[in-house]
Amino acid sequence: MILTVTLNTALDLTYHVPALRPRASHRVSDVRERPGGKGLNVARVLAALGHEVTVTGFTGGATGRRVRELLTGTAGVTDALVPVAGATPRTIAVVDSGAGDTTRLNEPGPVIAPAEWSAFQEAYGGLLGDADAVALCGSLPPGVPVGAYALLVREARAAGVPVLLDTSGEPLRRGIAARPDIVKPNADELAELTGSHEPLRATQDARRRGARSVVASLGAGGLVATTPEGRWRATPPARARGNPTGAGDSVCAGLLSGLVEHLAWPDRLSRAVALSAATVPTPTAGEFDRAAYEALLPTITLTAEATAA
C-alpha cells in the first residue's frame, strides 16, 4: 500500500470555456468535479496505475463530505481522512480551451485545532505500519506547525518507510533537513530554496541540504534529477497543450510507483515525464490519458549529466 498525505484537501471544480475574457460573461462548455489536493491527485493516478493507495489528511463540512463521496467511487483508493470542524475549501480552475491556459481560484481552508492535529498524527502513525511508501504533498493549513512535514518525514524514516516530499517555502526548507528519500520541487520552489536558477546545480545544492534524491519539475521542459546513482535530464518530445493542473502530481505518482516497483532511476524519470505530459490534455487533475502515456513513454529523451563541481 502507498500512503498519500494531503493536509489541505479540496473539492476541485474545473470549468472549460472557449475563451476567457476579463469583465465578460462566459458560457461553460464542460464542468468536472473531483476530490482535490495534491496528495489526492497523486493517489488517483497511482490507483489508475494499479497500486493500492490509502489517503489521509483533513476534511470537513459539506464540501468535505462531497470529497469523501467522490473518493468512495475511486477504485483502489481507501479513505482514511481525519474529520475536522472547519469546511474543506473548493478550488476552481477555468480552462481557456482556445489558448490552452488555466486560471485558478483557491478558497481558504479551515484552521486546524491542536486536538485535530494530534488526531491526525495518531492516524498517520497507525497507517505507516502497512505502507510501502508515503507521499507528503501540498501546503500546510493554518494551525498546523510549520515543521509538520519534518516531523512526518522523521516518523516515516523511523518506521523504515521511504518518503517523498512535495511542498514549498519554509515547510520544504525544514522538511528537507529531515532527510526525505525524494524531494520534488518545481523550478521556482527549487530556486527559492537554494538561490540558484540553474536547475541541475540547484538540485545538487538541495541534495546537500538533506534529501537523498531531488527531482525538479521544469514544466514543459521535463525533469532534472540528482540522485545517489547519477544525474539526469528527462524531456518529452513536444509541449503538451491543455490544462497543466495536476501535471506535477502525476510526476510524484510516477516517481512513487517506480520506487515501490524497484525501477532504475532512468525508468522512473521516463514514467514520470510521460505521465505528466499525458495529464495535461485531460479535463481534470488526478487523471491521465492512458493511450497518450503509452505512446509517450518510449519517446522520452534521457540525458545523463556530469556531476557539478
Side-chain angles (χ1 to χ4, degrees):
M1 176 270 283
I2 299 175
L3 176 65
T4 73
V5 174
T6 313
L7 298 179
N8 258 333
T9 58
L11 179 66
D12 280 354
L13 300 172
T14 303
Y15 298 93
H16 288 255
V17 298
L20 182 61
R21 300 183 304 276
R23 300 178 299 278
S25 296
H26 297 80
R27 184 175 297 278
V28 176
S29 59
D30 185 59
V31 180
R32 302 293 176 102
E33 183 183 48
R34 292 290 186 274
K38 293 179 71 64
L40 297 187
N41 295 337
V42 172
R44 290 182 13 245
V45 174
L46 285 168
L49 290 170
H51 291 273
E52 292 296 319
V53 190
T54 297
V55 298
T56 190
F58 298 114
T59 185
T63 309
R65 288 193 295 274
R66 181 58 180 155
V67 167
R68 303 188 87 156
E69 289 172 1
L70 293 169
L71 283 174
T72 300
T74 306
V77 176
T78 298
D79 175 0
L81 293 166
V82 176
V84 296
T88 295
R90 296 171 299 176
T91 63
I92 300 171
V94 183
V95 180
D96 183 327
S97 301
D101 296 328
T102 301
T103 299
R104 291 179 60 86
L105 302 172
N106 299 326
E107 295 180 351
V111 176
I112 304 303
E116 293 167 340
W117 171 237
S118 296
F120 168 80
Q121 289 178 276
E122 183 177 353
Y124 176 76
L127 291 166
L128 283 176
D130 295 322
D132 299 312
V134 58
L136 307 174
C137 302
S139 58
L140 299 178
V144 172
V146 70
Y149 281 140
L151 176 67
L152 300 180
V153 169
R154 287 192 292 269
E155 191 168 351
R157 287 180 55 83
V161 180
V163 56
L164 178 149
L165 177 63
D166 181 15
T167 188
S168 60
E170 190 62 20
L172 173 60
R173 191 178 306 278
R174 297 196 188 195
I176 201 171
R179 305 185 64 81
D181 294 87
I182 305 172
V183 171
K184 202 288 297 173
N186 63 32
D188 291 339
E189 292 161 351
L190 186 62
E192 181 185 5
L193 175 70
T194 66
S196 173
H197 291 273
E198 200 293 302
L200 277 168
R201 185 173 297 277
T203 57
Q204 188 161 335
D205 184 357
R207 188 165 179 258
R208 292 192 196 101
R209 295 167 185 255
R212 180 171 174 80
S213 299
V214 180
V215 181
S217 176
L218 308 181
L223 303 173
V224 293
T226 294
T227 79
E229 289 76 34
R231 289 158 54 90
W232 291 274
R233 185 183 298 269
T235 55
R239 181 186 182 94
R241 287 180 57 84
N243 177 13
T245 305
D249 304 329
S250 291
V251 168
C252 291
L255 296 174
L256 273 175
S257 62
L259 185 155
V260 299
E261 294 172 28
H262 307 291
L263 298 184
W265 265 105
D267 295 326
R268 297 187 204 181
L269 296 171
S270 292
R271 175 181 289 184
V273 172
L275 280 172
S276 177
T279 295
V280 174
T282 61
T284 58
E287 300 177 356
F288 66 96
D289 183 319
R290 186 171 295 276
Y293 163 67
E294 292 174 354
L296 282 163
L297 191 57
T299 72
I300 304 303
T301 300
L302 263 293
T303 306
E305 301 284 346
T307 301

